[in-house]
Amino acid sequence: MDVALDTFTLETTFRSLENFGHSLRARCYVLRPASPEDIPEVFRKAQQLGLSVTARGAGLSYNDAALNGGGIVLDMAGLNRILAWDPSTGVVLVEPGVTLQQLWQLVEPEGWWPPVVSGTMFTTVGGCLGANIHGKNNFQVGPFGEHVIEFRAILPTGVEVVCSPKKNSDLFYSMIGGLGMLGIFTAIKVQMKRIYSGLLEVSTRASPNLGTHLADLFENAPRSDYIVGWLDVTAGGRGLGRGQVHAARYLQAGEDPHPQFSMQLKNQDLPSRILGVFPKSMLHHLMGPFMINFGATVVNAGKYMASLRRHTFRQSHAAFHFLLDYVPNFEFAYGRGGLIQYQSFLPKEHAEAAWAEIISLSIKRGLPSYLGVTKRHRPDKFLLSHAVDGFSAALDFKVTDGNRAALSQMLQDFDRIVLDAGGRFYFAKNSETLPETAASFLGTKAVAQFRRLKRRCDPYGLLGSNLYRRLFA
Ligand SMILES: Cc1cc2nc3c(=O)[nH]c(=O)nc-3n(C[C@H](O)[C@H](O)[C@H](O)COP(=O)(O)OP(=O)(O)OC[C@H]3O[C@@H](n4cnc5c(N)ncnc54)[C@H](O)[C@@H]3O)c2cc1C
């Protein structure tokens, strides 16, 4: 460890950090602030030592957003207190390290649910704001940032700012989704969503190809509160883009005869065993052997056949939203090289043609995605927004020593297809995006505004991450 950093009053380690998919690694000085008051001191020290600083929540971004090779990583997980909670209004004030798990477990027994959640409950509220996450209800309620009433943040100058849609609104709309590059959130006030049951009504339908899949998402979104699709991205030919759509709606007051029961935490918990037999923690070992092209094709075909039966059922909020948490450490099933998730957002008019080209190309090059997930979106007002009036598809790719270069090239070829179709990208996912791609979809006006705000908030350029240097520096 660097001698100067060794004298730091905060707990400090120099260690290797990874992204969620374990496909990237960086050696960083990790500092754990015990309170927001420690943060200005970190900036002073970073400036003296010529080091950059990146905040890290749970480190669950799929890419390099929370990595800072050779620099300081501020581990925000320790700032995890609920500062205020009012069950009569559903307004909660939290420190940034509070996880979505802490949040839903606090509010649900009192008849509320976080307005937007990620596919895992282990993300932090600070990280959800940094990336401005979207849920399966993006087309109805927008991203997480639209439900933030106010936040406090510390700028690298040491100044504290309070931002809301009315107060310092330029900072509100740029720090949310600004990947921690303008300041560090220290307290966040969020409006929760009223619910009348711990259950959702979910209906599933199979879709035989990409066209019907997107049409289903489009037509059923207006009468659903949530909608999400699964794609069998290993299938080509007439079955290209086949999959299944899950649409869900909240139960209205009176529909659940026992809401107090269904909202209890013990009735929300994900089962600890699969099929009542295998401990969930073992499952990723069993999945490993199927994570090859042939294995994934067989598993996906089986899953598609099983999805042909259309059905409607009631499911707990936690089970519906956090499906990926059913399989702890599922990312390890991808093996030593890890995985890359490639998510693109396309206007509804061009989505089918562009994704048909992308899926065909991946199959042709022998680099198919093993898992595809689709969602319906609408645009929002945030400066570095990824949203469009259309759809997103998130595709998971296995990385190996042998395929890394070809995969990287293929994802950049996808970028061109997406850009030509008027699409956008999400900065918490793709890891291969080039600076010119980011500039192209964000537009020169948005990039110039971001740079202006960066100079204003961070005149000495102290906030930096691997992602920032890759895309903007
Ligand atoms: C299984 C899985 C499912 C997912 N599903 C979804 C999904 O459905 N929708 C979606 O939108 N995303 C999804 N994601 C991505 C994830 O929600 C985002 O990457 C989120 O930002 C991760 O939160 P985190 O706490 O781990 O943040 P990190 O990954 O640690 O950080 C994310 C960004 O926020 C910044 N940041 C963190 N804390 C602060 C702070 N206090 N102040 C300022 N900046 C800060 C970081 O610098 C970084 O740029 C998923 C990820 C996983 C692993």
Side-chain angles (χ1 to χ4, degrees):
M1 184 187 306
D2 186 282
V3 177
L5 267 166
D6 214 13
T7 63
F8 215 94
T9 51
L10 298 178
E11 182 195 320
T12 312
T13 50
F14 186 56
R15 61 191 169 97
S16 189
L17 294 178
E18 294 187 345
N19 61 331
F20 167 73
H22 307 292
S23 55
L24 302 168
R25 223 150 273 128
R27 301 274 295 166
C28 316
Y29 297 101
V30 181
L31 266 60
R32 211 161 207 252
S35 95
E37 284 79 61
D38 293 330
I39 296 171
E41 171 61 10
V42 172
F43 283 125
R44 271 195 295 276
K45 197 83 176 183
Q47 191 175 0
Q48 274 172 19
L49 299 171
L51 295 176
S52 61
V53 179
T54 303
R56 183 171 168 104
L60 291 176
S61 291
Y62 276 83
N63 62 5
D64 46 1
L67 297 178
N68 190 17
I72 294 173
V73 164
L74 265 184
D75 175 357
M76 304 298 287
L79 300 185
N80 63 352
R81 287 176 308 155
I82 309 280
L83 300 172
W85 162 232
D86 182 350
S88 67
T89 59
V91 174
V92 66
L93 178 68
V94 297
E95 287 189 324
V98 163
T99 60
L100 292 187
Q101 180 184 32
Q102 274 177 276
L103 195 57
W104 77 258
Q105 294 192 346
L106 171 77
V107 304
E108 191 179 31
E110 313 221 43
W112 300 89
W113 183 256
V116 173
V117 296
S118 48
T120 169
M121 64 173 99
F122 303 120
T123 50
T124 65
V125 174
C128 290
L129 222 58
N132 202 12
I133 64 158
H134 55 265
K136 300 173 182 74
N137 53 355
N138 186 263
F139 59 101
Q140 292 284 16
V141 305
F144 195 88
E146 285 193 21
H147 306 274
V148 171
I149 299 167
E150 187 179 278
F151 66 75
R152 281 176 186 276
I154 294 176
L155 305 184
T157 52
V159 169
E160 186 185 60
V161 289
V162 179
C163 304
S164 74
K166 296 244 165 73
K167 206 185 307 170
N168 292 316
S169 68
D170 55 347
L171 290 184
F172 184 86
Y173 286 105
S174 52
M175 289 180 76
I176 296 180
L179 299 146
M181 289 300 105
L182 300 176
I184 309 287
F185 305 118
T186 53
I188 301 150
K189 192 185 278 184
V190 193
Q191 175 66 58
M192 299 292 111
K193 158 88 185 151
R194 177 53 97 191
I195 53 169
Y196 300 97
S197 169
L199 302 171
L200 293 164
E201 186 176 273
V202 184
S203 31
T204 69
R205 288 173 297 276
S207 39
N209 55 51
L210 188 58
T212 49
H213 185 87
L214 297 178
D216 189 333
L217 286 176
F218 182 75
E219 282 156 22
N220 286 298
R223 45 178 177 267
S224 309
D225 293 307
Y226 298 96
I227 202 157
V228 62
W230 161 76
L231 286 182
D232 171 2
V233 242
T234 49
R238 287 169 53 182
L240 187 136
R242 69 184 181 183
Q244 188 186 34
V245 171
H246 284 221
R249 68 169 186 89
Y250 294 111
L251 298 186
Q252 298 307 308
E255 281 191 271
D256 178 354
H258 307 293
Q260 297 311 329
F261 176 78
S262 63
M263 290 189 296
Q264 280 174 24
L265 295 186
K266 67 175 178 6
N267 297 318
Q268 291 288 321
D269 271 354
L270 306 180
S272 60
R273 289 177 181 268
I274 305 288
L275 304 173
V277 182
F278 299 112
K280 279 193 312 181
S281 53
M282 274 180 59
L283 201 66
H284 73 268
H285 294 295
L286 302 178
M287 286 163 60
F290 293 94
M291 292 302 203
I292 51 173
N293 290 359
F294 176 70
T297 305
V298 170
V299 169
N300 278 329
K303 183 169 157 53
Y304 178 69
M305 296 314 280
S307 77
L308 290 173
R309 193 173 66 87
R310 197 182 165 119
H311 62 149
T312 299
F313 54 97
R314 289 185 177 182
Q315 190 174 30
S316 75
H317 286 261
F320 176 78
H321 288 291
F322 306 123
L323 191 66
L324 292 166
D325 295 339
Y326 267 101
V327 189
N329 304 320
F330 75 87
E331 69 281 12
F332 287 119
Y334 281 84
R336 212 164 46 86
L339 81 144
I340 292 179
Q341 186 172 105
Y342 181 87
Q343 189 173 21
S344 51
F345 292 70
L346 282 160
K348 54 186 184 306
E349 298 77 18
H350 305 302
E352 185 182 345
W355 283 324
E357 192 178 346
I358 282 175
I359 298 168
S360 304
L361 193 61
S362 67
I363 294 172
K364 192 168 141 207
R365 293 202 187 166
L367 294 169
S369 159
Y370 295 166
L371 175 68
V373 174
T374 54
K375 290 185 189 138
R376 172 85 172 103
H377 297 270
R378 67 145 163 86
D380 58 59
K381 287 166 58 177
F382 294 89
L383 186 66
L384 302 185
S385 175
H386 50 274
V388 294
D389 179 7
F391 311 99
S392 68
L395 310 180
D396 287 2
F397 291 94
K398 177 172 173 160
V399 185
T400 63
D401 290 341
N403 80 4
R404 195 177 274 268
L407 187 57
S408 181
Q409 179 58 56
M410 184 174 78
L411 300 183
Q412 285 165 11
D413 294 340
F414 290 176
D415 282 356
R416 202 157 311 286
I417 298 169
V418 173
L419 286 181
D420 287 348
R424 302 178 80 88
F425 301 98
Y426 179 32
F427 289 130
K429 299 281 176 87
N430 311 9
S431 53
E432 312 299 303
T433 315
L434 299 171
E436 51 272 29
T437 306
S440 169
F441 85 82
L442 290 170
T444 42
K445 218 168 122 200
V447 173
Q449 169 70 349
F450 183 62
R451 289 193 191 287
R452 253 193 311 277
L453 290 167
K454 178 81 175 153
R455 283 194 295 274
R456 188 173 112 201
C457 296
D458 185 14
Y460 305 110
L462 295 179
L463 284 167
S465 61
N466 284 15
L467 175 140
Y468 179 73
R469 288 185 285 277
R470 173 166 61 86
L471 292 178
F472 296 107

